[in-house]
Amino acid sequence: MTVELRPTAPEQTRARYPDEEGYVERDGVRLFYEVYGSGEPTVFLMPTWSIVHSRHWKMQIPYLARHCRVLTFDGRGNGRSDRPREPDAYLEQEFVADALAVMDATATERAVLVSLSRGAERSLLLAAGHPDRVDRMVFIAPALPLPPVPPRAQADQEFRERRDDYTSWEKWNSNYWLDNYEDFLEFFFSQVFTEPHSTKQREDAVGWALETDPETLIATQLAPRLPDEESVRKLLSRVRCPLLVIHGSNDAVRPCASGARLAELAGGALTILDGSGHFPHARDPVKVNLLLRHFVAPPEAPRRWVRGKSRRKRALYISSPIGLGHAQRDAAIADELRKLHPDLEIDWLAQHPVTAVLEARGERIHPASAYLANESRHIESESAEHDLHCFQAIRRMDEILLSNFMVFHDLVCDEQYDLWIGDEAWELDYYLHENPEQKRTPYAWLTDFVGWLPMPDGGDHEAFLTGDYNEEMIEHIARFPRVRDQAIFVGNREDIVPERFAPHLPEIREWTEEHYAFAGYVTGFDPAEFTDRAALRAELGYGDEEQVCIVTVGGSSVGRDLLRRVIAAFPAAKDRVPALRMIVVCGPRIDPETLPPHDGLEVRTYVDQLYRHLAACDLAVVQGGLTTSMELTANRRPFLYFPLRHHFEQNFHVRHRLDRYHAGRRMDFEQETPDTIAAAIAETIGQRVDYRPVESNGAARAAALIAPLLEEGKGRRPPAPRPRRPTAGS
């Protein structure tokens, strides 16, 4: 039986999509399943309580699927499976029969069962009744009738008796669920996630729970379950496979001691995660993933080992793929590092479109890069018409970031590096601070902004979320200062916004001065090379009489709508500026065929060393990204820039920096029409500018801050003194 549900938000981009999916029907109930990866063994991620569906395994699937075959299905009552109304439909034996039907439908002879909470009972029943189908078992926060008594035991009894005079867990009540379902969900998942800064995990869980209804959950609770410890003992007596129990010490739903009791009765292994709550696979996914991998499919021993003194110096560079700006500055820093350490080998862990820049330079892209989930594609999926809620988009990229960190983890376990460098590699920085024991090599971190900031129309809720993210970051740095051996701000002190992380948190500028060294801006080129613009224009094929306007939106497809609007302005702009030559650069992720043509308009795809064309132009029209706008500032070219709506970095951090340099003319996409854009082009093209100078030695300064980490016996470096104010020609 299918129940019509309230609409929910679109699913966020996955790090990995299933290789096979389908439905199996059993006794009139349709069950949706997914298969990922191939090979042996098969890991069967079992359904838990129907308050959530199989997407709660999202942090495990991509990692495990790189090493074995993964099978999962939505348990009856949620997701894309049916929602029977009768309590008898939710007997644990029904879930066991469903699991066997899914195994049969996917030709799965045997599997490793991994369960969470209420899934423990159905896994135990399956292994006891069909031992030939089960290789191993993992229980995460098992919900079995084992001592001690769980916090809501009295509430469970009151629920089954349908009493109204409840005295514990007062929202654990069928009447409350029917009248205040969403409030109950908020309460319940506050008990599930007891770890601080779990806003995203709670939000996900509430969203999944809203895909079912209170009537279905009431039916699941009225179905009988195992009554006592003796019933568990009897089942365990028929289980012969190895068993692992994982339980958080701060589990407020099922006491950690009950998980320990299961491991004791079964003679299995036990791992207690101190400080973790009831969903450690969601809140501490790195540790849980590694525990699963080593229990299910242990890594093979390396086939080659190099003696320490025989190793060349090697660095692994992780460059953010969101846009192309990081690639150019990182390549420039890499060049400067090689000057200081000529024997240094640099591998790049990168993805498209960054790889387009690196490949053109002949850099070595590590083969493991092929396993990275594409972040640019996710960012594009989150965008609307010149609108990208950057903070929320990155927040909703958690599955992708974790998957990419696990790629990094496996790589650095297999190969030795003397240095890790992360340029806004958010996954690397976050999960190293969450799992500081994984940091075993000097690590340098670079960024050109500090502090998540709320957009005004996000209200108090967004202000709370950004403050919570900032607070977690501040706590990370305070607790584990050794994780970052060097933190470099790509810019100067004055480039930092004069804001607070949150009303109760420090000033961003003051905190950044204490925790970062300042390299100055990194252009990746020396503007002095382009002082002879006439020669440069001749080299690039631009005539003296032409008024050249370059329109570019970076390395993603987010700027497609801006390109269309500027293209629509071309005829009117050409009327105003007869010598106008407009060149639209799509970038590597926009198909030129999707843009409207105009006589005289030139459309190009990827242009190598685009900064040289920007140095030669008479005007540029760009988004509000930092790299392109600062390249134009350094080359003292006039430009119009259109910050993306809801993009906090472009609207606050970049705007502040450009205002400081007196650079560019800010435009509002919502207000501007093709006619007003044409007028702005005519007014601004060829205009003389009076920008602050941009330093040309930022890459060398950044490299000088990083290079000591490659010297033997060198530990963490203190932040360098902030650079002097740049002067003309500096």
Side-chain angles (χ1 to χ4, degrees):
M1 172 181 176
T2 302
V3 178
E4 185 176 351
L5 301 171
R6 71 188 78 184
T8 56
E11 182 186 70
Q12 65 192 59
T13 311
R14 296 192 186 188
R16 177 164 182 160
Y17 287 86
D19 299 299
E20 176 190 347
E21 62 181 38
Y23 287 89
V24 60
E25 185 169 331
R26 194 187 70 77
D27 288 349
V29 177
R30 291 208 326 154
L31 307 160
F32 178 76
Y33 67 83
E34 295 176 331
V35 183
Y36 302 80
S38 60
E40 293 294 337
T42 293
V43 176
F44 195 176
L45 300 173
M46 296 285 283
T48 185
W49 184 26
S50 300
I51 197 169
V52 295
H53 49 66
S54 60
R55 288 292 290 145
H56 76 88
W57 295 114
K58 69 178 184 175
M59 296 299 210
Q60 283 65 58
I61 290 170
Y63 180 62
L64 294 176
R66 283 200 290 114
H67 301 291
C68 52
R69 181 172 178 259
V70 178
L71 173 63
T72 186
F73 78 101
D74 292 339
R76 51 179 62 203
N78 206 329
R80 285 189 268 183
S81 293
D82 286 349
R83 294 147 175 75
R85 286 298 193 207
E86 306 78 18
D88 284 351
Y90 295 97
L91 292 168
E92 290 301 309
Q93 287 289 2
E94 295 293 338
F95 283 95
V96 172
D98 290 347
L100 290 168
V102 169
M103 291 179 73
D104 292 341
T106 57
T108 304
E109 293 297 323
R110 295 173 64 83
V112 178
L113 304 186
V114 181
S115 63
L116 169 73
S117 189
R118 188 160 172 173
E121 186 169 332
R122 54 204 61 157
S123 291
L124 195 54
L125 286 165
L126 197 161
H130 305 271
D132 57 317
R133 308 295 297 268
V134 180
D135 276 330
R136 292 167 176 257
M137 301 176 74
V138 180
F139 296 88
I140 302 174
L144 293 168
L146 297 173
V149 176
R152 67 163 199 269
Q154 183 177 351
D156 278 332
Q157 182 64 28
E158 294 163 352
F159 190 101
R160 288 187 172 84
E161 295 174 359
R162 295 178 178 272
R163 288 168 52 186
D164 291 325
D165 58 334
Y166 44 87
T167 57
S168 61
W169 269 47
E170 63 179 24
K171 295 182 180 181
W172 192 264
N173 174 277
S174 58
N175 293 328
Y176 196 89
W177 295 8
L178 291 169
D179 295 338
N180 306 279
Y181 183 53
E182 193 163 350
D183 184 69
F184 160 70
L185 298 179
E186 294 284 355
F187 158 73
F188 177 70
F189 288 112
S190 73
Q191 303 302 301
V192 167
F193 294 104
T194 53
E195 305 89 343
H197 311 297
S198 297
T199 56
K200 181 57 168 64
Q201 291 81 9
R202 291 185 190 179
E203 181 181 292
D204 280 346
V206 170
W208 297 327
L210 288 172
E211 294 185 40
T212 190
D213 53 28
E215 292 82 2
T216 297
L217 285 192
I218 290 170
T220 68
Q221 285 302 106
L222 296 176
R225 298 172 64 188
L226 290 177
D228 51 29
E229 181 176 322
E230 184 58 29
S231 62
V232 176
R233 284 175 177 270
K234 288 180 179 178
L235 290 173
L236 286 173
S237 69
R238 295 153 55 191
V239 173
R240 296 290 181 268
C241 63
L243 181 150
L244 169 66
V245 177
I246 302 171
H247 214 128
S249 67
N250 286 5
D251 191 332
V253 177
R254 285 284 164 174
C256 180
S258 68
R261 180 62 173 160
L262 172 62
E264 178 186 358
L265 293 174
L270 170 67
T271 298
I272 294 175
L273 305 181
D274 280 327
S276 296
H278 191 59
F279 272 33
H281 66 304
R283 194 60 183 85
D284 294 301
V286 171
K287 184 60 180 178
V288 172
N289 285 355
L290 296 178
L291 288 170
L292 293 176
R293 166 90 189 278
H294 285 270
F295 185 73
V296 170
E300 294 182 2
R303 298 183 180 181
R304 169 174 282 185
W305 177 80
V306 181
R307 293 188 70 248
K309 290 295 185 181
S310 300
R311 298 173 190 169
R312 294 190 62 178
K313 288 185 177 179
R314 302 179 70 206
L316 183 65
Y317 213 130
I318 302 93
S319 181
S320 172
I322 303 174
L324 290 173
H326 299 89
Q328 183 164 299
R329 80 178 179 208
D330 292 336
I333 293 170
D335 285 344
E336 296 294 334
L337 269 175
R338 292 183 180 109
K339 293 177 183 177
L340 298 172
H341 290 278
D343 60 338
L344 178 64
E345 292 181 344
I346 298 178
D347 287 348
W348 297 81
L349 189 61
Q351 55 188 275
H352 194 268
V354 169
T355 49
V357 175
L358 299 177
E359 287 168 350
R361 290 173 46 91
E363 297 282 354
R364 182 178 185 271
I365 299 169
H366 197 284
S369 299
Y371 297 120
L372 295 172
N374 193 280
E375 297 175 25
S376 293
R377 186 179 300 118
H378 167 78
I379 293 296
E380 291 161 1
S381 75
E382 293 275 345
S383 64
E385 185 182 27
H386 203 70
D387 191 351
L388 174 61
H389 205 306
C390 182
F391 168 68
Q392 292 293 355
I394 292 177
R395 188 167 177 263
R396 285 164 51 84
M397 198 163 64
D398 55 344
E399 173 184 351
I400 290 173
L401 294 176
L402 184 277
S403 178
N404 290 347
F405 177 81
M406 299 308 299
V407 172
F408 163 83
H409 170 274
D410 285 0
L411 168 56
V412 298
C413 283
D414 292 341
E415 301 185 31
Q416 295 79 36
Y417 288 95
D418 300 280
L419 174 65
W420 303 334
I421 307 172
D423 185 352
E424 294 188 9
W426 304 109
E427 70 279 22
L428 176 58
D429 198 67
Y430 179 79
Y431 285 110
L432 284 178
H433 282 93
E434 286 282 281
N435 304 269
E437 71 280 1
Q438 297 299 331
K439 192 267 186 180
R440 52 190 176 274
T441 296
Y443 161 54
W445 161 256
L446 299 95
T447 185
D448 54 39
F449 80 92
V450 176
W452 307 98
L453 296 175
M455 297 303 296
D457 60 3
D460 291 341
H461 182 61
E462 185 168 320
F464 165 75
L465 291 178
T466 54
D468 184 70
Y469 270 56
N470 288 332
E471 186 170 26
E472 184 177 33
M473 179 271 296
I474 290 170
E475 291 172 359
H476 275 159
I477 304 304
R479 177 62 184 86
F480 298 109
R482 64 180 174 83
V483 168
R484 294 177 179 174
D485 294 284
Q486 185 61 272
I488 299 171
F489 185 82
V490 182
N492 300 291
R493 175 187 181 277
E494 295 81 3
D495 295 325
I496 302 169
V497 292
E499 305 285 347
R500 301 188 80 89
F501 287 109
H504 65 292
L505 295 176
E507 293 278 354
I508 297 175
R509 185 176 293 177
E510 177 182 333
W511 185 90
T512 304
E513 283 189 285
E514 293 175 1
H515 295 89
Y516 279 79
F518 293 83
Y521 192 72
V522 179
T523 58
F525 59 84
D526 185 350
E529 298 174 8
F530 310 129
T531 51
D532 189 347
R533 289 188 61 243
L536 179 63
R537 286 170 68 94
E539 177 189 344
L540 298 176
Y542 301 134
D544 292 339
E545 73 287 352
E546 293 176 330
Q547 293 281 284
V548 178
C549 176
I550 304 285
V551 185
T552 181
V553 291
S556 76
S557 66
V558 173
R560 181 183 285 110
D561 294 299
L562 176 58
L563 291 185
R564 288 179 172 275
R565 189 164 298 182
V566 177
I567 288 172
F570 173 67
K574 182 72 172 175
D575 287 342
R576 289 179 166 89
V577 185
L580 177 65
R581 179 181 177 185
M582 182 177 284
I583 300 167
V584 174
V585 181
C586 299
R589 298 184 64 82
I590 297 177
D591 182 356
E593 298 299 321
T594 63
L595 300 176
H598 281 289
D599 289 341
L601 179 72
E602 301 173 45
V603 180
R604 303 181 187 177
T605 53
Y606 172 71
V607 174
D608 189 33
Q609 296 184 331
L610 178 62
Y611 62 89
R612 302 180 76 241
H613 295 262
L614 294 175
C617 75
D618 298 287
L619 176 70
V621 181
V622 300
Q623 283 184 168
L626 181 64
T627 300
T628 305
S629 57
M630 285 299 291
E631 288 174 356
L632 291 160
T633 302
N635 284 315
R636 309 184 70 77
R637 308 315 306 144
F639 63 96
L640 312 176
Y641 72 99
F642 293 75
L644 286 161
R645 292 197 302 268
H646 294 110
H647 195 304
F648 78 92
E649 185 186 359
Q650 292 187 6
N651 282 278
F652 298 124
H653 293 280
V654 177
R655 182 180 179 182
H656 167 76
R657 193 178 299 216
L658 293 180
D659 286 349
R660 192 176 84 80
Y661 280 88
H662 311 299
R665 175 174 171 179
R666 184 175 180 273
M667 308 286 283
D668 187 333
F669 183 86
E670 288 187 278
Q671 302 296 324
E672 307 300 342
T673 66
D675 284 341
T676 62
I677 293 173
I681 290 173
E683 293 166 6
T684 313
I685 195 164
Q687 190 178 74
R688 293 182 64 85
V689 299
D690 185 24
Y691 301 158
R692 282 178 179 266
V694 178
E695 55 267 77
S696 60
N697 61 347
R701 298 174 77 153
L705 290 166
I706 296 170
L709 302 180
L710 287 162
E711 298 172 11
E712 294 183 16
K714 300 293 185 180
R716 175 176 169 79
R717 288 294 195 178
R722 64 175 184 264
R724 60 184 173 82
R725 186 183 301 277
T727 58
S730 65

